[in-house]
Amino acid sequence: MGLLLLLATSGIAHAQGARVHRCIGENGEPTFSDRKCASLKATPAPAQSANAPAQPGSADAASAAITQTCAVSPQDLRERVAATFAATNAVGFSGLFLWDGFGQGSAIAPLRELAVLIHEPLLAIDLESSPRFRARDRYRYGEAGNDDDALQELVIRTLGEDERNVPFESIRHYELTESRGCWWLLMPW
């Protein structure tokens, strides 16, 4: 019994000695690993004081923007979408969506659509807002809320082709939502 207790406490002490390295990958994505950043071909993330927020315009604010894991505004979300199109990064693009309500099987078709979309030539990415029709959407948004708030959408215009290789302007609308300080795209229902 004493031997088991000794082995358990030595395992805990060894686990506490393990260090997690916070790194910035080649594309600016945050990475956490037990290996050093150099072995991952990444740079160490700058340390930030937990009790001092970064001041806008400072070097700390710039590094915080790089290591931010979610979009903090609709404009930031728009810029991230543009960056995923520039890098043709379908996985990064799908990471900008809030997937609540989707199961593994129900997410397959939307993920395939996003993979096709990211490879189409991009024409424009715009933020648009329009009045929200609460009476029509009360089941989705509930009765509470301000009727003056607007529905915010990200509109992506690409150059698509039909089955006869005839080019056309493809327009996709994605609603934006804010959840716990992060902005996300919603998949159309």
Side-chain angles (χ1 to χ4, degrees):
M1 181 72 147
L3 182 60
L4 288 174
L5 184 60
L6 180 63
L7 286 173
T9 56
S10 68
I12 292 171
H14 178 68
Q16 289 176 345
R19 182 164 185 234
V20 175
H21 297 274
R22 184 175 180 196
C23 310
I24 306 298
E26 294 177 17
N27 297 320
E29 75 280 2
T31 305
F32 300 91
S33 176
D34 60 343
R35 299 183 341 201
K36 293 192 177 202
C37 297
S39 67
L40 301 171
K41 296 182 182 173
T43 59
Q48 291 185 0
S49 172
N51 55 4
Q55 297 299 318
S58 68
D60 287 338
S63 65
I66 291 171
T67 60
Q68 183 69 37
T69 57
C70 68
V72 295
S73 70
Q75 294 78 16
D76 184 23
L77 184 57
R78 186 217 166 274
E79 290 172 14
R80 290 171 185 253
V81 169
T84 61
F85 267 86
T88 318
N89 184 351
V91 173
F93 185 43
S94 68
L96 299 175
F97 284 83
L98 187 63
W99 291 95
D100 289 353
F102 282 87
Q104 182 179 0
S106 63
I108 293 173
L111 286 169
R112 286 184 178 149
E113 289 175 19
L114 295 178
V116 170
L117 175 64
I118 201 82
H119 287 91
E120 292 177 357
L122 182 65
L123 299 175
I125 301 175
D126 299 309
L127 285 171
E128 294 182 1
S129 63
S130 59
R132 190 182 305 266
F133 298 103
R134 290 249 179 227
R136 185 187 72 199
D137 297 339
R138 72 173 178 260
Y139 296 109
R140 184 165 182 189
Y141 302 109
E143 293 292 337
N146 181 359
D147 286 345
D148 295 332
D149 67 342
L151 172 69
Q152 294 187 1
E153 292 183 311
L154 186 77
V155 180
I156 300 175
R157 291 176 171 83
T158 59
L159 186 62
E161 289 184 358
D162 66 10
E163 55 274 351
R164 290 187 227 137
N165 295 329
V166 176
F168 64 96
E169 182 181 16
S170 175
I171 302 172
R172 303 227 178 51
H173 295 261
Y174 297 103
E175 185 178 338
L176 275 65
T177 188
E178 189 267 336
S179 177
R180 298 183 181 146
C182 296
W183 283 87
W184 302 96
L185 298 168
L186 294 177
M187 198 54 76
W189 289 91

